[in-house]
Amino acid sequence: MNISYFDDSRITEKTIKSKITKLGQYRQEIRENMEENNSDVPEYSLYYPKDFTLHSNITELAKTYKNIKHLVVIGIGGSNLGTEAIHQVLDEGKVKLSVLDTVSAYNLAVLLDELKKYKKATQLTICIISKSGSTTETLSNASVLIEELKHHFGEEINQQLIFIGDPKTEVEKYAKKISAHYVAMPKIIGGRYSVATAVGLIPLALLGHDTDEFISGYLDASKDEYETITAENSARLALYLQNKYHHYNFFAFEPRLEKLGEWYRQLFAESLGKETTKNGKPVKDAMLPTISTPVELHSVGQLYFSKITTVYTDFVTFDDEKFDFKTTKSNKLASGLKNLSLQEIVTGLYGGVIGAYQERELPYRATILDESLPYSLGLFMGMRLREIMYTANLMDVNAFDQPNVELYKIKTKEILKI
Amino acid sequence: MNISYFDDSRITEKTIKSKITKLGQYRQEIRENMEENNSDVPEYSLYYPKDFTLHSNITELAKTYKNIKHLVVIGIGGSNLGTEAIHQVLDEGKVKLSVLDTVSAYNLAVLLDELKKYKKATQLTICIISKSGSTTETLSNASVLIEELKHHFGEEINQQLIFIGDPKTEVEKYAKKISAHYVAMPKIIGGRYSVATAVGLIPLALLGHDTDEFISGYLDASKDEYETITAENSARLALYLQNKYHHYNFFAFEPRLEKLGEWYRQLFAESLGKETTKNGKPVKDAMLPTISTPVELHSVGQLYFSKITTVYTDFVTFDDEKFDFKTTKSNKLASGLKNLSLQEIVTGLYGGVIGAYQERELPYRATILDESLPYSLGLFMGMRLREIMYTANLMDVNAFDQPNVELYKIKTKEILKI
């Protein structure tokens, strides 16, 4: 993983070091918990994939469903964003992924049309993922989809359902009642930290992706080499927050990383977006994360480059040499492009944008994923989970709760009388 | 169109009125230009679709290509966002839309695979849209795609190409040379203001959408009834900017409006995101626009509801009664949902979110598109174009240029030596 930085002049080596010093105790705590394989702390997510049961579950399910054509994931937030992020990068058209996240009768109707074209139920698998077992959106989507598919394919559809969530919820009971698969996730691991549990790994295995490579990268994020970089990155995040930066721009320069941006955005916003510190003091620093791709150079780009507001930018990209096309001068449209290939043009664009950021003194960090993609994604996600925990520690906020989202849920339930 | 407001207590009727007064002269100017059908001012976009040549062009092309299965739009920013926004709402699966915007060899390879499965060139149409005729991304994508399709389908592919852009560019010359269609757009109308020119209307007609209804809504945005609302909305935007709101959240509560959010985001960011006023004074107020759907209630929602930063929210939605599904208590997963239908649940969610915004005193405006969708979209887009012009006028910035995006283009060309 190649990472470079271009910092605001107020973010100095000295200020970074001082933040890193503050992290000392927390880093030590995590190190000890990891050595003891402590499963009672929320940081368990960082080393959980060593778990042996998880691996045998994955292998077994991947074998059972190895010939499917289409996987539907029903889940929202932490239950689907990790899977979507990884699949968007690794997708080679082997198994199609569809997601039902929020409630939309239109989306459900379109998906049903598509699923009913399959001849046999065994060409499909449906993963129903709800940590709490009570997510309104997921239960609504799942119950309707299952009833409709049962009507079409008969009871055998039950064998194509995999339920994933905390143990002892209504969902587990239901799965057992209809003799469908149920896989537990560890209760202590929050939804947005769950990509390397059954929540992410089972769908990814069913999609035909290399979960071993992914896990290997994910666990390497705890190695000294990467852990040190992560501590530095957290120090920077805390400093940009403290220096009143308002915006955080995840810039997926390779457009297939856009959903990785959505995954990180949730992690960032839910973990750091807190009203009060652990001691009840009001939090005053906030960056709102947004996502860009090079398409936005022709959209929000003008605003970014105008420098009228403060944005910390997070460029993430990878080189993909599998595909390329040469422009040919013989096509007069491309006569100015001097036979350059599309990859060369992309590289030029990237250099041009980075150069413009430097000239305008717009701070950024830039990450290039330069090892095998499943490994790189595992490493990246493992590092980012840890980075957010460290940053929350520096801000003295709880990285693991989401207290303010209850209000709209309560109001919704009042309206619906449920 | 049903619009309601919930304002920050500092945004009072008095402050709104005072802003509206300041708009008086500009509104009068536009009114006069409209009466004279003045085609020399950038506000021409607001009444341009009355143009007769445009209508006959659309009708003729729609007839020629009425049996196509797949439309490819090659264009970026203002050249494709409007089409995508409208198609996402109106799509009924008649003609498939693919877009090539930024340069991505991977995306191009995937699209080519798909296009080569068609038996005849006449099943496809390719719209190549570049206002300046020199957009690097568009020329790269177009030249490669055309060469590849020519190789596959032969010269007859030229009859399936439609070039759209300013007159007298290299693109027009090329189109004429290969005897392909070329349709001019008015030079005075900027890319982000061009949805109701050939740029948006020709692709939409080819996709089978009702452009007459769309234009009728678009032109109605100039009627007193809607123009007055627009002036008020601009006053509000200017006031939120002045009161140091940092974030603007386009909340597409109906997920099919997400791309409408992308269209508005470009319009907003490129028009208002200026370093200096027309008189060269530094601009100090900026909101960075972002887009949400109800999926983000499980992601950025926590940060929004925490109220630790200032966000002005723009809810946009519509009711769609074409599709619905009932949850049934007999499916034990849904036993808590009391046989509610998915539409009822969505309505409950919307009410719950609006209620939570009010209780947390988070300011918003909420728009419900309640007439025929092509008409509503035309009206909405016409109103929003005007709103941004008015807001720029209140901020004393130029709504029609984008001076800061040249830098990365220059640097890119230096690197590529083109």
Side-chain angles (χ1 to χ4, degrees), chain A residues 313-332:
Chain A
T313 300
D314 181 9
F315 290 106
V316 187
T317 194
F318 62 85
D319 293 326
D320 179 0
E321 277 142 33
K322 257 193 215 158
F323 301 97
D324 204 1
F325 298 92
K326 264 203 173 319
T327 62
T328 63
K329 279 199 220 173
S330 67
N331 182 313
K332 293 285 178 211

Side-chain angles (χ1 to χ4, degrees), chain B residues 6 304-305 307 309 311 356-364:
Chain B
F6 182 78
Y304 295 149
F305 286 118
K307 219 182 161 172
T309 186
V311 187
Y357 266 70
Q358 292 184 357
E359 189 162 321
R360 294 288 290 167
E361 297 186 340
L362 297 163
Y364 66 81

Side-chain angles (χ1 to χ4, degrees), chain A residues 135-271:
Chain A
T135 318
T136 303
E137 289 93 329
T138 304
L139 295 187
S140 314
N141 281 326
S143 64
V144 170
L145 193 80
I146 293 170
E147 287 303 311
E148 292 280 332
L149 292 180
K150 201 180 282 179
H151 193 75
H152 185 83
F153 290 108
E155 293 287 331
E156 60 175 315
I157 196 70
N158 287 348
Q159 294 318 304
Q160 306 307 117
L161 308 178
I162 302 173
F163 292 85
I164 302 171
D166 282 350
K168 292 179 187 160
T169 68
E170 287 301 310
V171 167
E172 179 182 3
K173 268 193 229 162
Y174 176 77
K176 298 218 158 139
K177 191 175 157 272
I178 64 167
S179 306
H181 290 282
Y182 163 75
V183 185
M185 65 184 287
K187 203 165 172 6
I188 191 73
I189 297 182
R192 58 187 178 272
Y193 293 95
S194 68
V195 65
T197 70
V199 170
L201 296 172
I202 287 178
L204 290 169
L206 267 52
L207 289 163
H209 302 314
D210 189 338
T211 50
D212 286 341
E213 273 285 289
F214 176 82
I215 291 172
S216 150
Y218 184 90
L219 291 174
D220 275 0
S222 291
K223 283 191 176 163
D224 284 352
E225 177 190 352
Y226 296 113
E227 192 275 341
T228 314
I229 298 174
T230 301
E232 265 191 53
N233 287 344
S234 309
R236 277 195 176 81
L237 282 189
L239 287 164
Y240 281 99
L241 279 159
Q242 207 173 301
N243 280 289
K244 302 297 173 204
Y245 271 68
H246 299 307
H247 310 278
Y248 186 92
N249 182 19
F250 188 103
F251 201 129
F253 214 89
E254 157 58 55
R256 277 174 283 170
L257 292 167
E258 189 172 7
K259 285 191 177 289
L260 186 65
E262 292 183 18
W263 172 83
Y264 183 68
R265 179 175 65 165
Q266 185 211 17
L267 177 68
F268 186 114
E270 280 199 346
S271 305

Side-chain angles (χ1 to χ4, degrees), chain A residues 42-174:
Chain A
E43 292 85 356
Y44 185 36
S45 58
L46 299 176
Y47 42 92
Y48 169 74
K50 293 179 184 169
D51 187 90
F52 180 75
T53 334
L54 175 70
H55 289 262
S56 57
N57 265 328
I58 295 172
T59 316
E60 189 203 322
L61 287 169
K63 230 167 87 183
T64 310
Y65 297 106
K66 71 173 185 296
N67 293 320
I68 61 166
K69 299 283 177 213
H70 202 135
L71 173 72
V72 180
V73 170
I74 307 181
I76 192 164
S79 299
N80 75 309
L81 290 172
T83 299
E84 285 195 284
I86 298 163
H87 182 66
Q88 191 184 25
V89 174
L90 303 182
D91 183 18
E92 291 186 337
K94 197 177 160 279
V95 179
K96 178 159 183 186
L97 171 66
S98 297
V99 165
L100 289 176
D101 41 29
T102 193
V103 180
S104 159
Y106 171 81
N107 286 346
L108 210 147
V110 171
L111 178 62
L112 271 173
D113 261 8
E114 204 181 336
L115 298 180
K116 286 179 180 172
K117 285 183 187 143
Y118 289 100
K119 292 204 177 118
K120 296 184 233 158
T122 50
Q123 293 173 298
L124 312 175
T125 303
I126 325 287
C127 284
I128 299 101
I129 309 178
S130 168
K131 181 170 173 56
S132 65
S134 65
T135 318
T136 303
E137 289 93 329
T138 304
L139 295 187
S140 314
N141 281 326
S143 64
V144 170
L145 193 80
I146 293 170
E147 287 303 311
E148 292 280 332
L149 292 180
K150 201 180 282 179
H151 193 75
H152 185 83
F153 290 108
E155 293 287 331
E156 60 175 315
I157 196 70
N158 287 348
Q159 294 318 304
Q160 306 307 117
L161 308 178
I162 302 173
F163 292 85
I164 302 171
D166 282 350
K168 292 179 187 160
T169 68
E170 287 301 310
V171 167
E172 179 182 3
K173 268 193 229 162
Y174 176 77

Side-chain angles (χ1 to χ4, degrees), chain B residues 131-186:
Chain B
K131 181 169 173 56
S132 65
S134 65
T135 317
T136 303
E137 290 93 328
T138 304
L139 295 187
S140 314
N141 281 326
S143 63
V144 171
L145 192 80
I146 292 171
E147 287 303 311
E148 292 280 333
L149 292 180
K150 201 180 282 179
H151 193 75
H152 186 82
F153 290 108
E155 293 286 332
E156 61 175 314
I157 196 70
N158 287 348
Q159 295 317 305
Q160 307 307 119
L161 308 178
I162 302 172
F163 292 86
I164 302 170
D166 283 350
K168 293 179 187 161
T169 68
E170 287 301 310
V171 166
E172 179 182 3
K173 269 194 226 160
Y174 176 76
K176 299 219 158 137
K177 190 175 157 272
I178 63 167
S179 307
H181 290 282
Y182 163 75
V183 185
M185 65 183 288

